[in-house]
């Protein structure tokens, strides 16, 4: 996090006392079941993308529920603003979907899809990493959207790309059953509560972090020890995690949280690869929650 946004965020997080308080434990979050909704959601999304490419506004808007609820801090409610963005993209705009997240680049759970992207808006702000969370209702309509954005760093301490993944996991894929995915979901909830809400990071890492922990947060080297040392050195503040969503598929667990810090609220995504009951790879996106948004839905 070495660009304009990153410097501000890191300076904010590093400038306050470390773990000065404990927070309420939080196991009350949306936990979708199964993967039966994927096929319908993907058909709807494919129809929407094709209509957008053809600038067929009527077909594009027909993919959305009424109401279509927007949580992005940059867009108003409804599908009209989404279409306007696609139909009138500025010169230099680019969006690259990250393909390894799941089949065709989508992690799915219940009626939800998650997409990971690198986006350059073409407005001079530079490239960002973005997670999109999409909900599709029982009629298969695209009903609700969240996104979280963070500027990409010029370089990472670990040398790993922020949106990449370790080749060893690509070369050795796994297919977990629902019971294992659910166990991974519980592991992540337990880790976040113990590490941050209870302020017992060292214990949490001893219990849940695996050897060879691959880190894609740009500020930390690989391994669990650097995170622990940052806390012990007073370089990280108290973080209270209010967990809102945990989606799990195969060895990936995707968590969206409202995180209270001494200097404001963050929208935080932590995505973890879990194998053999241990966390082995981590990505995150952190975005300050703005005071003003073009809707009243909030980011959560």
């Amino acid at each position: 996090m070495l660009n304009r946004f990153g410097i501000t965020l890191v300076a904010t997080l590093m400038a306050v006392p470390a773990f000065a308080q404990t927070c309420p434990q939080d196991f009350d979050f949306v936990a979708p079941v199964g993967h039966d909704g994927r096929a319908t959601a993907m058909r709807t999304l494919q129809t929407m993308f094709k209509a957008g490419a053809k600038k067929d506004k009527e077909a594009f808007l027909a993919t959305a529920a009424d109401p279509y609820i927007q949580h992005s801090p940059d867009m108003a409610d409804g599908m009209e603003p989404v279409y306007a963005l696609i139909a009138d993209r500025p010169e230099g705009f680019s969006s690259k979907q990250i393909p390894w997240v799941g089949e065709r680049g989508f992690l799915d759970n219940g009626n939800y899809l998650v997409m990971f992207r690198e986006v350059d808006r073409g407005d001079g702000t530079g490239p960002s990493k973005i997670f999109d969370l999409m909900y599709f209702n029982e009629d298969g309509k695209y009903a609700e959207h969240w996104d979280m954005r963070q500027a990409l760093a010029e370089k990472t301490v670990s040398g790993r790309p922020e949106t990449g993944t370790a080749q060893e996991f690509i070369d050795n894929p796994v297919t977990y059953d629902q019971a294992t995915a659910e166990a991974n979901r519980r592991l992540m909830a337990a880790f976040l509560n113990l590490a941050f809400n209870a302020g017992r990071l060292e214990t949490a890492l001893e219990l849940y972090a695996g050897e060879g922990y691959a880190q894609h947060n740009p500020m930390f080297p690989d391994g669990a020890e650097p995170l622990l040392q940052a806390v012990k050195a007073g370089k990280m503040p108290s973080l209270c995690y209010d967990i809102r969503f945990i989606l799990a598929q195969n060895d990936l667990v995707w968590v969206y949280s409202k995180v209270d810090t001494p200097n404001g609220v963050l929208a935080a995504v932590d995505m973890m690869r879990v194998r053999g009951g241990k966390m082995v790879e981590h990505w995150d996106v952190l975005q300050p929650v703005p005071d003003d948004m073009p809707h009243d839905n909030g980011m959560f």
Side-chain angles (χ1 to χ4, degrees), residues 73 265 287-293 299:
V265 179
Q287 181 176 3
V289 176
D291 292 328
D292 297 314
M293 287 180 268
M299 288 192 69

Side-chain angles (χ1 to χ4, degrees), residues 196-214:
F196 299 108
N197 290 342
R200 298 174 61 195
L201 178 63
E202 185 168 11
T203 301
L205 291 172
E206 288 176 354
L207 287 172
Y208 301 119
E211 294 184 7
Y213 180 87

